[in-house]
Amino acid sequence: MSIRPSSQKDSWRDAILNDFVPNVSKLTLVADPDSLLTEEKLALELRGRGFDLIEFNDPVEFRYAYESKYRSLWDRGEHTDLVVILCLQDAELGSLPYDLLQAGRKLSFNLGELFPNLSYPVIEKLDRSLLDSLYDAQRKSPPDRMGDNATKDFILRYVFGIAAELISSDVELLRALLRLHYGKIQIPFTLAERLVQVLREHSGFKAWPLDEIVPDDEAFFAFLQERWPVFLSRLSKADQLREDSPDQWAGQPIGTSQSDAPAVRTTEGEHQYGLKFPGPDILPFDHQDIKVYIDNLFVEGKLSPIHATEIDVEPGSWIRCGIVPASADDDEMRISRLFELVEKDLPTEESRYSDWTAFALKWAELSSLIHCGSNAAHQTRLKDIGDALNATFSRWLSDHYSSLINLPPTNPVMLHHVPRRLARDVEGSGDGHAALIVVDGLALDQWVTVRQILQKQDNNLVMRESAAFAWIPTLTSVSRRLFPKWSG
């Protein structure tokens, strides 16, 4: 049995859940090469219906769990709905043990059946959290049969909100990249390549370092970071910092070509400012569609403020977030903004794991600032939010934690995914070397402080930050066992 797509389904999960009715069969065998059943929300829904999920990876490990827990129950006449999942690519259910094949009903699910008109090699690279948007787009705008490039364009337009062929100015390009990299999900490399290919067809973008800043969010932020001092240096002290004055880019029509934009261009890769990345020296940071992102990036620590004592910035200006605080009022402004962002983005019991990890990085920035100060009101406010947050997180863990274990290790979600990701990076690097440094007892807000020091010592460092869930209980003796090949 396989998926039967229908325009009546509100979610791709519904097409799968229809085949899971409790008490129909004590054993269900599922060929799931795309790891659909282990997707966070689907796994939670299946468990809510009373199904136990177990992956068939190691035959000995599986046999022990199967015989000791489930066979003993069935032998006593008790019922339980067990789902055995075979996730390996190109593996068929016929490879499972004979006694399972005789006792269980057989199902199969794959992305090709969910998205029959899209290119399978493209959609299999997507993070499973993006399938909701893709399925919704397919339902509202059913595509004809598409090849690789057409599928990539469809996903870029309807999932990431980027119509690459319509981007024709510096402002539009920068806005699209900010929307892309400010989100929680990293764009798959195959889509990044397609986006670069389409953008390269526009003559105005040939000088941009698209190969670096489109697929890599940290390279993009490093690109913005080195352009920020140049932007500040070109501001006049008389009129360009007034919030009520027209932006130099605000009057630029959306369709204006890059050659018409008021930016300093580079020739043959030479920069009058000695910049590392090629491309325009001056970016339109003060355009109304751009600055709404830029001040948030400084507030959240993705960009670092610089010293600019010669710049006379008016109180309340969005630019102040990008200048090293000259007074306690500036620190107060950043803390106030971070509180606003944190309270607006508080995860709930229904949030995805990626919402919690993205929030943790913002929370660490705020905690670091407050713990380095002595403002009692801030500390009390942080504690009150933290107490409520911990209560929500505890309830979220009770429902969602078990569904994290079997997620694909492409972007590590739990600690045991890290060795597999390291092994993949080593294989792909070509030099066969990787280093894992474990700093025991270092909290995330303490890392924020360490990171700032490291960045001051070496401005060329490019750090890619992410977060993963620890095993519970979070003891060194438990976590360290997850890295037998990497621990000393």
Side-chain angles (χ1 to χ4, degrees):
M1 187 178 296
S2 60
I3 299 172
R4 297 179 296 277
S6 169
S7 60
Q8 302 300 316
K9 308 301 180 186
D10 293 330
S11 165
W12 63 271
R13 298 178 191 86
D14 295 335
I16 295 176
L17 289 170
N18 283 342
D19 285 320
F20 289 91
V21 179
N23 302 318
V24 170
S25 174
K26 65 181 181 181
L27 178 62
T28 301
L29 310 177
V30 181
D32 183 23
D34 298 314
S35 299
L36 296 174
L37 267 66
T38 56
E39 187 269 339
E40 184 180 3
K41 290 187 177 181
L42 182 54
L44 185 63
E45 178 65 27
L46 288 171
R47 289 190 172 92
R49 295 187 178 193
F51 289 91
D52 287 350
L53 307 181
I54 182 171
E55 285 194 65
F56 189 90
N57 291 321
D58 182 272
V60 176
E61 180 182 354
F62 168 81
R63 181 59 68 177
Y64 175 79
Y66 177 73
E67 297 290 341
S68 63
K69 183 175 181 180
Y70 298 101
R71 276 284 297 272
S72 59
L73 286 175
W74 298 336
D75 290 345
R76 294 197 300 266
E78 300 179 32
H79 181 85
T80 181
D81 290 304
L82 175 63
V83 179
V84 177
I85 306 171
L86 187 63
C87 289
L88 299 177
Q89 288 286 344
D90 302 324
E92 298 181 355
L93 290 179
S95 63
L96 291 173
Y98 179 77
D99 59 325
L100 270 67
L101 295 174
Q102 291 296 105
R105 64 172 181 146
K106 303 172 185 63
L107 300 174
S108 65
F109 306 109
N110 63 70
L111 287 169
E113 293 172 330
L114 281 173
F115 304 96
N117 289 333
L118 301 179
S119 170
Y120 178 81
V122 174
I123 58 177
E124 71 168 338
K125 303 296 184 183
L126 291 180
D127 187 280
R128 299 299 176 256
S129 64
L130 298 175
L131 296 183
D132 291 310
S133 299
L134 185 59
Y135 193 85
D136 190 52
Q138 174 184 256
R139 185 166 57 88
K140 293 178 179 178
S141 304
D144 295 327
R145 185 69 181 175
M146 292 182 171
D148 288 355
N149 284 340
T151 297
K152 293 173 186 177
D153 294 339
F154 185 85
I155 295 172
L156 285 170
R157 178 184 292 270
Y158 290 105
V159 176
F160 290 93
I162 298 176
E165 70 280 4
L166 300 180
I167 298 175
S168 59
S169 69
D170 283 3
V171 170
E172 289 178 333
L173 176 56
L174 191 56
R175 180 176 57 198
L177 293 176
L178 284 165
R179 290 181 59 189
L180 179 66
H181 293 307
Y182 190 69
K184 301 182 182 74
I185 305 298
Q186 186 174 5
I187 185 173
F189 185 73
T190 183
L191 293 183
E193 283 185 317
R194 174 59 180 172
L195 180 55
V196 170
Q197 179 186 7
V198 176
L199 292 174
R200 287 278 182 229
E201 296 175 359
H202 191 287
S203 59
F205 301 144
K206 292 191 180 297
W208 283 69
L210 298 175
D211 291 327
E212 297 177 75
I213 64 176
V214 171
D216 188 345
D217 55 350
E218 293 302 334
F220 174 65
F221 294 141
F223 172 67
L224 297 182
Q225 182 71 58
E226 74 169 10
R227 257 50 177 195
W228 180 246
V230 182
F231 169 76
L232 292 181
S233 71
R234 296 297 296 253
L235 293 176
S236 70
K237 297 180 181 180
D239 57 4
Q240 65 252 147
L241 299 183
R242 300 182 186 277
E243 288 295 320
D244 56 353
S245 65
D247 293 338
Q248 63 167 323
W249 296 75
Q252 180 184 336
I254 288 299
T256 302
S257 67
Q258 189 191 36
S259 60
D260 298 326
V264 177
R265 303 290 151 196
T266 59
T267 59
E268 300 179 359
E270 295 179 356
H271 291 271
Q272 67 181 91
Y273 296 101
L275 301 174
K276 171 186 174 183
F277 291 95
D281 292 343
I282 305 295
L283 296 180
F285 287 116
D286 57 347
H287 187 277
Q288 59 186 359
D289 292 343
I290 305 301
K291 64 184 181 183
V292 295
Y293 290 98
I294 298 301
D295 58 349
N296 279 1
L297 292 176
F298 280 113
V299 168
E300 295 177 24
K302 291 182 171 62
L303 296 179
S304 301
I306 66 168
H307 291 276
T309 55
E310 72 283 0
I311 301 295
D312 184 17
V313 184
E314 291 184 353
S317 170
W318 68 277
I319 295 176
R320 293 183 77 94
C321 292
I323 297 176
V324 173
S327 67
D329 290 340
D330 292 331
D331 277 332
E332 177 67 28
M333 182 180 68
R334 187 185 178 203
I335 290 174
S336 177
R337 287 289 313 282
L338 266 175
F339 267 123
E340 291 176 7
L341 291 173
V342 161
E343 291 176 326
K344 183 184 71 173
D345 295 335
L346 283 174
T348 68
E349 295 177 45
E350 305 303 321
S351 296
R352 301 182 64 89
Y353 74 86
S354 55
D355 297 323
W356 283 100
T357 53
F359 178 84
L361 298 173
K362 294 180 184 178
W363 184 256
E365 290 285 342
L366 178 59
S367 299
S368 176
L369 279 174
I370 292 178
H371 291 323
C372 289
S374 57
N375 188 306
H378 288 160
Q379 294 172 357
T380 299
R381 185 179 179 185
L382 185 74
K383 182 181 183 302
D384 291 342
I385 298 174
D387 289 344
L389 191 64
N390 285 333
T392 302
F393 186 56
S394 178
R395 294 190 294 269
W396 182 88
L397 282 176
S398 298
D399 292 335
H400 293 259
Y401 186 75
S402 60
S403 66
L404 304 179
I405 297 173
N406 294 322
L407 289 174
T410 307
N411 294 309
V413 178
M414 296 191 69
L415 287 182
H416 70 283
H417 294 155
V418 174
R420 283 183 279 175
R421 173 57 187 269
L422 285 172
R424 183 176 301 173
D425 289 345
V426 167
E427 292 174 359
S429 66
D431 59 13
H433 294 86
L436 173 67
I437 301 173
V438 179
V439 184
D440 198 6
L442 184 69
L444 198 54
D445 56 338
Q446 294 171 328
W447 159 248
V448 169
T449 303
V450 173
R451 181 195 65 202
Q452 292 170 350
I453 296 173
L454 292 175
Q455 288 174 330
K456 290 179 181 178
Q457 292 177 343
D458 187 351
N459 293 329
N460 293 321
L461 279 177
V462 176
M463 301 185 188
R464 295 169 177 84
E465 294 181 332
S466 60
F469 287 83
W471 278 86
I472 299 176
T474 57
L475 302 174
T476 298
S477 57
V478 174
S479 296
R480 193 63 58 84
R481 292 178 62 187
L482 301 172
F483 302 100
K485 295 182 179 180
W486 303 88
S487 299

